Amino acid sequence: MPPETPLLDKIAAPEDLRALSDDALALLAGDLRAELISAVSETGGHLGAGLGVVELTVALHAVFETPAVKLVWDVSHQAYPHKILTGRRDRIRTLRQRGGLSGFTRRDESPFDPFGAAHAGTSVSAALGFVLAGQEAVAVIGDGSLSAGMAMEALNHAGTAGHRLLVILNDNGRSIDTPTGALAELLQDRSPASFFEALGFAYRGPLDGHDMPALLTALRAAKGAEGPLLLHVRTRKGHGFPPAEASEDKWHGVSKFDAATGRRDGSGGRSATDVFAETLIAAAEQDRAIHAVTAAMPSGTGLSAFGARFPERMHDVGIAEQHAVTFAAGLAAGGMKPFCALYSTFLQRGYDQVVHDVALQGLPVRFAIDRAGLVGADGPSHAGAYDIGFLAALPGIVVMAAADEAELARMVVTAAGHDAGPIAFRYPRGALGGAAPEAAPQPLEIGKGRVLRKGRDIAILSFGARLQAAEAACEALAADGISVTLADARFAKPLDTALIKELACAHPVLVTLEDGAPGGFGAAVAAFLSGEGVFDRGLIFRMLTLPDVFQAHGTPEEMYAEARLDASGLAETLRPLAAG
């Protein structure tokens, strides 16, 4: 049952807020918080950050004439209240569902979303761009995002650009996990005024981000400011919902839950992330050179457990992927065995460092690439679609992908023992399934795949987590009398060239399969076969990849079905090939 929200019911657009008294705006915040809790209880999503900025969101839209004033949210997982107030309340219960509202700001969704976001540290750069283009802009950035190097670069530029720019520091003392580093200590323990003033910003604050009169007064004063101004606002993640306030994660991201009791849906069991963490801990028990590095994601990458066991060998560097990669390179150059655990979508931000600081120097950094492939409700901004191609392009790197739990454990062990250069292994969000890890996983032979079933009509060479969908497709094809060989490549670099030639020569049709964008594993296989002259002998070859588009959010099952990489789609694609 939706909550009673009499004031919110009168708000169709932000301009309606500007007709309300300050007292009414404070009451409206209560309605907005109730609506937010109710909606996210039905859809799941990012809740804690949004609860923390309810009052700030109301105040911003009441004081500034959005959308003429460009309101730029950093990351934007805190933007659900903003969406409710900007004409999207009627769709808020479609949040993160197929065909529904995005979980982040999107330019194509509303004129009140002037800049799309989902990765941290971008807001000040974008807002400064609007300002120098002759428009007014406000950037809202969290204390966790402030640790991103890009945010520091933008502040450095904005402080001397000579234009009016309001930056609101939403300081809730949290990222997804607890912020680390000197900047977090600066914001919490000492006056930060001198730091921002040294960068050329006037500084005001800190003030209570849940005190509506104080917010309104400060924002109205900021409208008349000249030059760059940083307003330091302290909020509480999860504010106003006791289950979130009491939780260690402040309900950063949640599944559906009971809005009255706060009882959440189950986690869904063991994940690939769990397998990685458990295997890495076991390896680190035997090898003190193993270190773990992550960028503000110890819980998301499973490294919280590693840190609890080996605190001196666990390094959370904050939202700073570039630093994470080069720091890991330094550890490797110093004789350690660093595992740099990042989501695929965030590894993109450290790619120059992978090229220049790791691969070029041949340093044995181990990249654990979580959330590879499609991630579902987080949508295209978080899709792990590109790492196969951009990593396999580098000389001297080893690139692996796990098809099941046992293979993932073997790849962790393989990486731990690999000192000849950089090595990466990728695995999906959630359950990986398949065979469970052995008690003592054995390393893989570098560059060697495996054949799981033999047939005569079609050969499928799968790389990564689509293997189980391929197995189901093989069963469906067998029922139609089509005999399929199924192989797990394991490696995109180096390729198992002997296996590829064997499959190409023994079958009239060869198909590669991967949960990545075009230009990855299949392209590498095609390049090899072309050099071998195999196509001259009439081989039918197909590359099955994710489509060459940014796929809209939905469940992973919906997205893979759209890509025709589910069992049904694979079978439909392969049947005509068998007929020649």
Side-chain angles (χ1 to χ4, degrees), residues 244-483:
E245 294 182 79
S247 175
E248 177 65 25
D249 67 356
K250 305 301 179 188
W251 284 42
H252 173 80
V254 295
S255 57
K256 297 178 183 181
F257 62 93
D258 186 302
T261 65
R263 186 175 61 252
R264 294 194 244 185
D265 286 357
S267 65
R270 177 185 174 92
S271 68
T273 302
D274 296 329
V275 175
F276 159 66
E278 291 164 8
T279 310
L280 184 63
I281 289 170
E285 294 277 5
Q286 305 300 317
D287 190 342
R288 292 189 55 81
I290 291 177
H291 286 240
V293 180
T294 193
M297 303 293 285
S299 58
T301 58
L303 292 182
S304 292
F306 184 96
R309 178 66 185 85
F310 309 108
E312 75 286 356
R313 290 191 267 157
M314 167 63 186
H315 311 280
D316 178 2
V317 303
I319 299 178
E321 290 83 2
Q322 292 171 296
H323 167 58
V325 172
T326 303
F327 168 64
L331 283 172
M336 298 297 103
K337 297 182 176 181
F339 279 75
C340 187
L342 301 170
Y343 291 5
S344 174
T345 186
F346 298 142
L347 179 61
Q348 296 162 188
R349 293 152 60 96
Y351 185 57
D352 179 63
Q353 288 66 37
V354 176
V355 176
H356 183 270
D357 299 333
V358 177
L360 184 61
Q361 303 189 85
L363 290 170
V365 175
R366 290 87 173 159
F367 291 100
I369 306 173
D370 205 326
R371 271 62 168 182
L374 299 176
V375 296
D378 281 339
S381 62
H382 281 58
Y386 313 107
D387 58 89
I388 303 171
F390 72 61
L391 288 177
L394 302 178
I397 194 170
V398 174
V399 181
M400 304 180 283
D404 57 41
E405 290 188 1
E407 287 292 290
L408 176 54
R410 294 183 189 117
M411 288 176 184
V412 175
V413 173
T414 303
H418 185 77
D419 293 314
I423 186 168
F425 53 97
R426 68 193 310 263
Y427 46 97
R429 180 178 189 172
L432 185 52
E438 303 98 337
Q442 297 300 303
L444 301 173
E445 182 180 353
I446 298 295
K448 293 298 179 183
R450 56 175 179 157
V451 175
L452 301 175
R453 62 187 293 162
K454 292 187 176 182
R456 62 182 181 277
D457 299 318
I458 298 175
I460 302 174
L461 183 58
S462 177
F463 179 66
R466 290 286 88 199
L467 182 69
Q468 291 169 60
E471 289 176 327
C474 289
E475 292 297 326
L477 293 170
D480 296 337
I482 300 171
S483 176

Side-chain angles (χ1 to χ4, degrees), residues 173-267:
R174 299 285 302 181
S175 182
I176 294 177
D177 294 287
T178 303
T180 61
L183 186 58
E185 295 178 4
L186 172 75
L187 295 178
Q188 296 302 314
D189 299 331
R190 301 188 299 277
S191 172
S194 59
F195 175 79
F196 294 108
E197 289 169 355
L199 289 172
F201 278 76
Y203 171 88
R204 295 178 186 170
L207 64 126
D208 185 349
H210 303 294
D211 183 338
M212 184 66 77
L215 283 173
L216 292 169
T217 298
L219 291 175
R220 286 166 182 155
K223 285 185 72 174
E226 296 296 328
L229 168 64
L230 187 132
L231 181 63
H232 186 177
V233 176
R234 287 199 171 132
T235 61
R236 293 177 290 281
K237 196 169 184 178
H239 180 70
F241 189 50
E245 294 182 79
S247 175
E248 177 65 25
D249 67 356
K250 305 301 179 188
W251 284 42
H252 173 80
V254 295
S255 57
K256 297 178 183 181
F257 62 93
D258 186 302
T261 65
R263 186 175 61 252
R264 294 194 244 185
D265 286 357
S267 65

Side-chain angles (χ1 to χ4, degrees), residues 387-567:
D387 58 89
I388 303 171
F390 72 61
L391 288 177
L394 302 178
I397 194 170
V398 174
V399 181
M400 304 180 283
D404 57 41
E405 290 188 1
E407 287 292 290
L408 176 54
R410 294 183 189 117
M411 288 176 184
V412 175
V413 173
T414 303
H418 185 77
D419 293 314
I423 186 168
F425 53 97
R426 68 193 310 263
Y427 46 97
R429 180 178 189 172
L432 185 52
E438 303 98 337
Q442 297 300 303
L444 301 173
E445 182 180 353
I446 298 295
K448 293 298 179 183
R450 56 175 179 157
V451 175
L452 301 175
R453 62 187 293 162
K454 292 187 176 182
R456 62 182 181 277
D457 299 318
I458 298 175
I460 302 174
L461 183 58
S462 177
F463 179 66
R466 290 286 88 199
L467 182 69
Q468 291 169 60
E471 289 176 327
C474 289
E475 292 297 326
L477 293 170
D480 296 337
I482 300 171
S483 176
V484 181
T485 292
L486 178 60
D488 175 14
R490 287 174 166 161
F491 295 85
K493 192 163 189 175
L495 292 172
D496 187 341
T497 55
L499 174 60
I500 294 169
K501 285 194 289 187
E502 176 186 335
L503 296 174
C505 292
H507 302 81
V509 179
L510 174 60
V511 175
T512 60
L513 171 62
E514 63 196 290
D515 56 346
F521 171 69
V525 173
F528 167 72
L529 290 174
S530 178
E532 293 291 307
V534 174
F535 296 131
D536 298 337
R537 299 198 294 270
L539 176 71
I540 298 173
F541 179 75
R542 296 289 185 274
M543 291 178 281
L544 303 185
T545 68
L546 294 176
D548 190 22
V549 298
F550 292 111
Q551 282 186 267
H553 59 275
T555 66
E557 292 77 16
E558 290 170 332
M559 296 175 75
Y560 280 117
E562 178 188 59
R564 297 178 61 82
L565 296 186
D566 62 343

Side-chain angles (χ1 to χ4, degrees), residues 86-106:
T86 54
R88 287 169 276 183
R89 185 187 181 190
D90 62 336
R91 291 181 287 154
I92 199 64
R93 284 170 171 75
T94 70
L95 195 66
R96 293 160 51 91
Q97 298 172 38
R98 194 69 170 168
L101 293 179
S102 168
F104 303 98
T105 54
R106 287 185 59 96

